[in-house]
Amino acid sequence: AQSVTQPDIHITVSEGASLELRCNYSYGATPYLFWYVQSPGQGLQLLLKYFSGDTLVQGIKGFEAEFKRSQSSFNLRKPSVHWSDAAEYFCAVGDPGGYQKVTFGTGTKLQVIP
Amino acid sequence: DSGVTQTPKHLITATGQRVTLRCSPRSGDLSVYWYQQSLDQGLQFLIQYYNGEERAKGNILERFSAQQFPDLHSELNLSSLELGDSALYFCASSAGTGGRDTQYFGPGTRLTVL
């Protein structure tokens, strides 16, 4: 069965600092991988996705993620964090083919301090 | 504004009751997805419809059912409600069934079962 681990429940970074959120997955073949963001009191928004090709994927809001098959990881990065990035971030893994039957991680809550 | 609308925004009901949550996808999107976000279970994929037909099923209870109508709006029916069904229910839409399309989320319906 597919699964996702986000080892960091809570991360605090200073505004302007770089960010890396960790995500490890378990899946039998090459999965679809996603990062979503949920701002306080808001719905979900898809940040980026990987399904094939270049292992470094660019998303919205200046985020990027790198798929590393050997490490079963799909870490999310941003070079310089803004206060508006404070939110909860969810990594997800799914069957090839689309958004159906995705399994979500437990989320990482990001706090940004001035 | 994602273009996906959900009604109602909040719903408070009692155990044993039945409720219907409604979702209107973005104009032109044929796929609708339902998700549940609860404190106990986290984020879970429930079910997907594409152009009126069920495409994929996740961790959806037998007490729950969904359908997508000819005008493409979708309804999620929850019956014999239990306290544990209290959660935020999101719907999302995408143009097709593949992951190459961007997925857009609605603001969610917060269900409280007393």
Side-chain angles (χ1 to χ4, degrees):
Chain A
Q2 62 197 39
S3 66
V4 176
T5 302
Q6 292 182 250
D8 303 305
I9 297 172
H10 194 273
I11 279 185
T12 300
V13 299
S14 299
E15 193 168 12
S18 64
L19 172 70
E20 183 166 24
L21 301 183
R22 296 182 291 163
C23 171
N24 291 97
Y25 69 89
S26 173
Y27 190 82
T30 300
Y32 273 36
L33 293 161
F34 310 88
W35 274 99
Y36 294 88
V37 61
Q38 185 174 26
S39 298
Q42 302 293 312
L44 287 160
Q45 185 175 22
L46 178 68
L47 278 178
L48 48 79
K49 59 185 185 279
Y50 170 82
F51 48 86
S52 67
D54 193 347
T55 56
L56 186 63
V57 293
Q58 302 298 320
I60 62 172
K61 304 187 180 192
F63 285 92
E64 66 178 27
E66 187 170 13
F67 170 57
K68 291 187 177 179
R69 185 192 305 274
S70 60
Q71 297 175 23
S72 297
S73 69
F74 189 57
N75 294 349
L76 182 72
R77 300 194 294 246
K78 186 168 184 177
S80 177
V81 168
H82 188 261
W83 64 266
S84 61
D85 293 324
E88 191 156 19
Y89 292 80
F90 294 91
C91 181
V93 62
D95 291 337
Y99 297 100
Q100 57 270 29
K101 290 195 173 182
V102 291
T103 297
F104 291 89
T106 49
T108 297
K109 200 162 277 190
L110 174 65
Q111 182 182 9
V112 181
I113 56 176
Chain B
D1 183 3
S2 67
V4 179
T5 60
Q6 289 187 248
T7 56
K9 207 166 185 176
H10 301 275
L11 198 48
I12 301 175
T13 188
T15 54
Q17 295 298 304
R18 173 189 169 95
V19 296
T20 297
L21 313 183
R22 182 188 169 105
C23 169
S24 293
R26 276 170 30 109
S27 177
D29 283 358
L30 300 179
S31 272
V32 170
Y33 310 79
W34 285 98
Y35 300 87
Q36 180 195 58
Q37 185 177 32
S38 67
L39 288 174
D40 289 342
Q41 304 287 331
L43 259 171
Q44 293 192 100
F45 164 75
L46 294 179
I47 197 164
Q48 179 206 3
Y49 277 82
Y50 174 76
N51 203 21
E53 293 192 3
E54 181 185 305
R55 268 302 176 107
K57 226 169 185 175
N59 297 324
I60 188 165
L61 299 171
E62 283 192 17
R63 301 184 283 109
F64 296 1
S65 64
Q67 53 183 325
Q68 187 180 27
F69 294 86
D71 67 351
L72 300 178
H73 91 271
S74 178
E75 292 180 358
L76 180 67
N77 300 296
L78 316 177
S79 62
S80 303
L81 285 167
E82 302 175 359
L83 295 177
D85 298 327
S86 295
L88 196 49
Y89 291 85
F90 290 108
C91 83
S93 73
S94 66
T97 58
R100 294 180 188 270
D101 306 315
T102 298
Q103 190 186 38
Y104 298 91
F105 283 80
T109 293
R110 183 167 294 281
L111 173 66
T112 302
V113 182
L114 300 175

